[in-house]
Amino acid sequence: MSTGEGARGNAEKYAKVDRDVLAAMKRPGRAYLAGLAFALLLAVVLHVLWAYQVRSGLGVVGKMHPVMWALYITNFVFWVGIAHSGTLISAVLFLFRARYRTSFNRAAEAMTVFALMVAGLFPLIHLGRSWVFYYLLPYPNQRQLWVNFRSPLVWDVFAVGTYFTVSLVFFYVGMIPDFAAAKQHVLGIRKKIYTALSLGWQGTQKEWRHYNMLYLFLAAFATPLVASVHSVVSWDFAMSIVPGWHTTIFAPYFVAGAILSGTAMVITLVVPMRKYLSLHDYITDGHFESIAKILLLTSLIVTYAYIVEFGLAWYGENIFERETFRYRLLGDYRYFTWTMLFCNSVVPLTLFARGLRRNTAYLFVVSILVNIGMWLERFVIIVTSLSHDYDPYAWGLYKPTFVCLGVDIGSFGLFFTLYLLFVKNLPVLSISEIKEHL
Amino acid sequence: MADRMVFDDREQFLEALRRLLREGVPGERIRVITPFCVPEVEEILPGTRSRVRFFALIGAAGGTVTGLAFTILTALSWPLVIGGKPVVSLPPFIIIAFALTILFGALSTFAGFLLLSRLPSLRGIRSEEEYGNAFVILVEEGERR
């Protein structure tokens, strides 16, 4: 009906968004297939080693007294932490009306869901008898026994379960209008799948009215989870009396660390994605700069938490606490602690330079280092405290076996497999939101 | 059969919508389909505020009550002192109640959205009409005032 130049320009802009975003779903290239095959191989390694562990018993993992929580719990905390910045970007930045979130939110939400799937595996693997995991759930039973709701491990089940469910709903709801847009550009079985997933969405004003209200409320429900879930995870440690764990700063300390690691993971995932899918028009260097600022801010908070932690140990006049922190910094695992401090506290400081915040290659390197640093942080917290607590008679060192390391590396494979499948099968950017802001 | 107007341009679409209302077509007879959310439509065609918010409230309140009731009643059903703590230890129970508040609130909001928007809609799924990026105004049959 319209004929004006401006109108045609706009229509062309909308069509370009469809084309560019949906181009990602075209037939994959060799590089993609090679990456997927490699990730899949690692995921298979995880499952094979898990099967081996189930068959042989937990002895093959190398968990020995006194370090009974080791790499598996390190990985659990790491992956739950990774999930957090997804919610921060999609929910918190939505409530703050930060426009740049549209560039990252879909990728970040996908990351949240997949990271939680991987995280959820670790307590099960760590259990040893994985098949009785349902003991953790409160279900009516003949003996009328219920779970102990005073235990942080049960809080974990509720916190992480809720987090996964809400994140999944949020992820899906964000995609409903995009499925409706995508189905118009594909054929065959894909069309059928997208049509079903779009639930018959048409885009009437009534649908949009309810949708906006839903999205707002989901963001509002998800926002407190950013703070609560990792707080609960931190209480797994803080509720005990182990020196180095038993401290009130753990909750905010863990939350800041979670957002730091998650933001780093978003950068790790989105830099190659933007390059491979040619999404430079939608994810600009300016957007990366904004994300880099979150990384810098959370790194400063984490550094502050490190200082407070050491400060409390020094000032607190508790010999066990003091010895634990001396051991952490100068003991058997010192290289890990130093690497952690370098990656989490020193490297991100370079992001005070604007030029470096806008340099995606540099950001990518920083993000990898922060990921390594944050993984080491969890390792250092868990292993140094356990291997060197109250009784010198019970001190001991922990050495992981190939099974444990293989499962850990395999978890990265599983995560990247899921992410790579997402990139080729679902709209990687929020099509309707981008058009709205054009 | 409804009158159908299709526009490529957002501004022209909004202009036409305003014109229709000026011409006296009642808002209830106008149906609008847009490829993305156009906030101006809400101003031009004011409807009632979405009732999805009540689902959020009821779900969240239900979650809090369920969380507290569940933890307290199961603890009382076998009153066993654990770690020297009271049988009804409210602080940890509040954590469970909080988690369920969020969980039930989010799920009930989603359910409310599906219910109020009449989704999944078989008509929408079967529909062959695809407007792409066009803005559509459908005016149901009826006498103009």
Side-chain angles (χ1 to χ4, degrees):
Chain A
M1 192 155 191
S2 63
T3 49
E5 277 301 309
R8 221 169 290 144
N10 268 340
E12 176 49 32
K13 269 193 217 159
Y14 300 144
K16 183 175 172 335
V17 175
D18 286 337
R19 255 197 327 273
D20 289 348
V21 177
L22 300 175
M25 301 188 203
K26 293 267 164 60
R27 192 173 279 276
R30 275 200 196 144
Y32 172 87
L33 289 175
L36 183 63
F38 183 64
L40 203 58
L41 179 72
L42 291 181
V44 170
V45 167
L46 181 154
H47 287 93
V48 169
L49 288 176
W50 185 8
Y52 173 65
Q53 178 201 302
V54 165
R55 198 182 135 84
S56 320
L58 271 178
V60 295
V61 177
K63 280 193 284 189
M64 293 287 176
H65 259 290
V67 185
M68 300 303 285
W69 278 16
L71 287 200
Y72 288 162
I73 300 299
T74 302
N75 274 284
F76 168 68
V77 181
F78 175 77
W79 285 115
V80 176
I82 291 293
H84 276 61
S85 82
T87 319
L88 179 92
I89 289 173
S90 55
V92 181
L93 296 187
F94 174 78
L95 295 180
F96 279 106
R97 300 283 185 266
R99 284 277 172 86
Y100 67 89
R101 88 180 254 292
T102 9
S103 318
F104 296 97
N105 74 324
R106 184 63 47 74
E109 284 161 24
M111 180 189 82
T112 298
V113 172
F114 302 147
L116 284 172
M117 287 165 131
V118 176
L121 273 186
F122 276 99
L124 303 191
I125 303 175
H126 175 82
L127 278 180
R129 291 194 296 153
S130 312
W131 52 95
V132 293
F133 79 95
Y134 63 89
Y135 284 9
L136 281 166
L137 308 174
Y139 61 96
N141 57 81
Q142 215 174 6
R143 294 155 294 165
Q144 299 193 19
L145 280 177
W146 294 92
V147 293
N148 176 12
F149 286 112
R150 292 169 207 84
S151 161
L153 302 182
V154 172
W155 307 344
D156 247 3
V157 173
F158 277 81
V160 177
T162 297
Y163 192 30
F164 177 70
T165 315
V166 174
S167 302
L168 191 66
V169 170
F170 202 33
F171 180 48
Y172 175 64
V173 163
M175 284 190 296
I176 292 175
D178 290 355
F179 283 132
K183 75 173 186 196
Q184 304 182 19
H185 296 268
V186 289
L187 296 168
I189 183 80
R190 276 194 153 185
K191 191 177 183 80
K192 284 195 179 125
I193 293 173
Y194 290 147
T195 308
L197 286 172
S198 75
L199 304 176
W201 173 273
Q202 288 183 310
T204 61
Q205 84 264 32
K206 189 177 88 177
E207 284 171 349
W208 280 115
R209 187 182 301 148
H210 295 314
Y211 181 83
N212 287 337
M213 191 64 91
L214 166 70
Y215 206 81
L216 179 71
F217 271 102
L218 282 183
F221 279 126
T223 297
L225 289 178
V226 177
S228 74
V229 175
H230 227 54
S231 298
V232 168
V233 171
S234 84
W235 293 333
D236 288 343
F237 303 95
M239 292 290 287
S240 73
I241 54 162
V242 176
W245 289 3
H246 186 64
T247 158
T248 45
I249 68 159
F250 250 40
Y253 168 28
F254 267 51
V255 171
I259 296 170
L260 174 66
S261 65
T263 311
M265 189 57 101
V266 170
I267 295 173
T268 310
L269 293 173
V270 176
V271 169
M273 185 181 96
R274 174 177 89 151
K275 193 173 161 61
Y276 179 69
L277 301 177
S278 313
L279 296 171
H280 296 74
D281 289 347
Y282 306 98
I283 309 174
T284 63
D285 290 349
H287 295 150
F288 275 111
E289 191 188 348
S290 306
I291 289 288
K293 283 179 186 165
I294 298 181
L295 190 80
L296 177 58
L297 174 72
T298 44
S299 155
L300 291 175
I301 300 174
V302 166
T303 307
Y304 175 68
Y306 292 156
I307 295 170
V308 172
E309 213 179 21
F310 277 92
L312 285 174
W314 169 69
Y315 198 69
E317 287 294 341
N318 177 325
I319 52 166
F320 300 108
E321 195 75 15
R322 200 178 272 183
E323 171 56 19
T324 295
F325 280 90
R326 188 206 62 78
Y327 180 72
R328 202 177 273 184
L329 196 63
L330 304 170
D332 297 304
Y333 299 99
R334 59 186 177 279
Y335 297 116
F336 293 133
T337 309
W338 298 350
T339 314
M340 166 197 105
L341 289 172
F342 175 73
C343 292
N344 296 345
S345 302
V346 180
V347 173
L349 290 180
T350 55
L351 296 178
F352 271 112
R354 183 162 185 267
L356 293 178
R357 282 201 303 268
R358 296 181 72 88
N359 181 337
T360 46
Y362 182 75
L363 271 183
F364 184 69
V365 174
V366 170
S367 75
I368 301 269
L369 287 177
V370 170
N371 278 324
I372 294 172
M374 284 309 299
W375 191 90
L376 286 175
E377 182 195 294
R378 278 66 181 252
F379 178 82
V380 164
I381 290 175
I382 293 170
V383 175
T384 60
S385 284
L386 285 177
S387 64
H388 204 77
D389 64 4
Y390 297 103
D391 184 3
Y393 183 74
W395 288 352
L397 287 183
Y398 163 71
K399 285 195 194 74
T401 61
F402 79 96
V403 177
C404 203
L405 286 171
V407 168
D408 294 346
I409 294 167
S411 72
F412 284 85
L414 180 60
F415 175 75
F416 285 110
T417 304
L418 292 168
Y419 194 80
L420 286 170
L421 290 176
F422 152 74
V423 163
K424 274 290 163 201
N425 292 295
L426 300 173
V428 290
L429 295 175
S430 175
I431 302 175
S432 64
E433 266 186 63
I434 290 179
K435 285 180 191 163
E436 189 182 336
H437 294 155
L438 267 182
Chain B
M1 187 58 207
D3 248 354
R4 177 186 311 175
M5 288 175 263
V6 182
F7 302 87
D8 282 340
D9 184 52
R10 188 184 136 118
E11 296 310 318
Q12 290 178 6
F13 151 74
L14 289 172
E15 191 42 50
L17 194 59
R18 288 194 191 97
R19 200 176 54 234
L20 274 177
L21 284 172
R22 267 202 309 274
E23 284 172 6
V25 181
E28 314 81 73
R29 291 222 326 264
I30 301 176
R31 216 157 68 92
V32 166
I33 292 176
T34 52
F36 50 84
C37 175
V38 183
E40 290 90 334
V41 174
E42 278 300 295
E43 291 161 23
I44 302 170
L45 277 179
T48 48
R49 269 181 82 196
S50 167
R51 278 177 292 147
V52 167
R53 63 192 199 282
F54 297 120
F55 285 84
L57 179 69
I58 292 164
T64 316
V65 173
T66 309
L68 284 176
F70 189 44
T71 45
I72 292 171
L73 294 178
T74 53
L76 288 176
S77 82
W78 192 323
L80 192 62
V81 177
I82 300 163
K85 298 182 182 71
V87 171
V88 176
S89 315
L90 275 184
F93 293 177
I94 286 172
I95 296 171
I96 307 289
F98 171 80
L100 291 188
T101 304
I102 305 275
L103 180 67
F104 286 20
L107 290 179
S108 139
T109 315
F110 184 46
F113 159 76
L114 293 179
L115 202 73
L116 294 172
S117 316
R118 305 271 184 277
L119 291 175
S121 127
L122 272 186
R123 220 183 76 199
I125 290 175
R126 288 209 196 105
S127 163
E128 294 291 318
E129 282 175 344
E130 288 180 353
Y131 296 109
N133 285 314
F135 302 83
V136 184
I137 303 178
L138 298 164
V139 184
E140 308 286 337
E141 286 275 307
E143 286 299 307
R144 290 193 180 186
R145 261 188 270 161

